[in-house]
Amino acid sequence: MDKKRIAVLVSGGGTNLEALLNAQEAGKLPHGEIVLVCASSEGAYALERARNHGVPATVVARRAMSQSAFETALNIKLAAYRVDVIILAGFLSILSEEFVSRWPDRILNVHPSLIPAFCGKGMYGLRVHEAALARGVKVTGATVHLVNEIPDGGRILLQKTVEVLPEDTAETLQRRVMEQAEWILLPQAAEMVCRGVAEEEA
């Protein structure tokens, strides 16, 4: 079977990337294969994780260039590796409408809340969990969605709830949401999208 070629875009530590790589090695991505990890900064530990799993890792430094130059460089890398599907895993750069429109229903992102709660521009990382705690919600969770031109605005693929505990800090809540939701949902959604693309092209 012709596996769909996945690029994972990262900006930081790469815990979600690790979950994807582990799922792939456990046979949970039968329709997909991670062929490239691309970081937006050279210091991203995710690059080390990729290399530890034998996956090509590269950098397109966002700070060094304009949005259009960054996306042009990104597209060149994606074309060189013949990528079919893009996964944003802790990728902190907003992609332009022009870029996203070239990948209809082929880009997915994980967000650490139950969209439409605590999402949109500027809502990422610990900020999301701080907002959830400040609001006093009793459950939160994670969402995997397709990416369109609106931050966190694309069609929802999967969601999973996580309980908020009375003693939670933003850090403890972040960790629980990753362990109980993000690391489970992201590989499932990756397989779902790759299978859909494979069936579409069959």
Side-chain angles (χ1 to χ4, degrees), residues 40-42 59-67 69-70:
S40 59
S41 62
E42 289 190 14
V59 177
V60 178
R62 175 67 187 94
R63 277 197 182 150
M65 51 187 108
S66 68
Q67 181 84 12
F70 172 69

Side-chain angles (χ1 to χ4, degrees), residues 6-171:
I6 301 168
V8 184
L9 307 190
V10 294
S11 293
T15 51
N16 280 315
L17 168 65
E18 188 78 32
L20 285 164
L21 291 165
N22 289 339
Q24 175 170 283
E25 286 164 9
K28 292 179 181 172
L29 285 179
H31 290 85
E33 180 186 5
I34 299 166
V35 297
L36 177 68
V37 171
C38 184
S40 59
S41 62
E42 289 190 14
Y45 183 66
L47 295 165
E48 195 66 31
R49 291 183 193 271
R51 293 184 191 112
N52 289 341
H53 287 266
V55 174
T58 188
V59 177
V60 178
R62 175 67 187 94
R63 277 197 182 150
M65 51 187 108
S66 68
Q67 181 84 12
S68 63
F70 172 69
E71 292 183 350
T72 297
L74 202 49
N75 273 320
I76 289 167
K77 295 275 187 196
L78 296 171
Y81 283 86
R82 305 191 320 280
V83 168
D84 300 300
V85 172
I86 299 170
I87 299 175
L88 309 183
F91 185 66
L92 300 182
S93 296
I94 299 288
L95 296 166
S96 72
E97 184 174 351
E98 184 187 3
F99 183 95
V100 170
S101 67
R102 295 178 63 169
W103 298 84
D105 297 343
R106 300 284 186 101
I107 308 177
L108 54 152
N109 180 51
V110 62
H111 183 76
S113 76
L114 298 172
I115 290 175
F118 314 117
C119 69
K121 198 168 184 188
M123 290 298 276
Y124 59 85
L126 281 175
R127 292 181 186 183
V128 178
H129 305 291
E130 286 163 356
L133 291 173
R135 190 69 182 85
V137 296
K138 304 306 178 198
V139 292
T140 184
T143 304
V144 181
H145 64 93
L146 293 171
V147 175
N148 64 8
E149 71 282 1
I150 302 161
D152 299 325
R155 180 162 62 85
I156 290 170
L157 297 174
L158 295 170
Q159 287 186 310
K160 193 172 191 299
T161 59
V162 174
E163 190 180 359
V164 180
L165 302 179
E167 66 275 14
D168 266 330
T169 63
E171 287 80 8

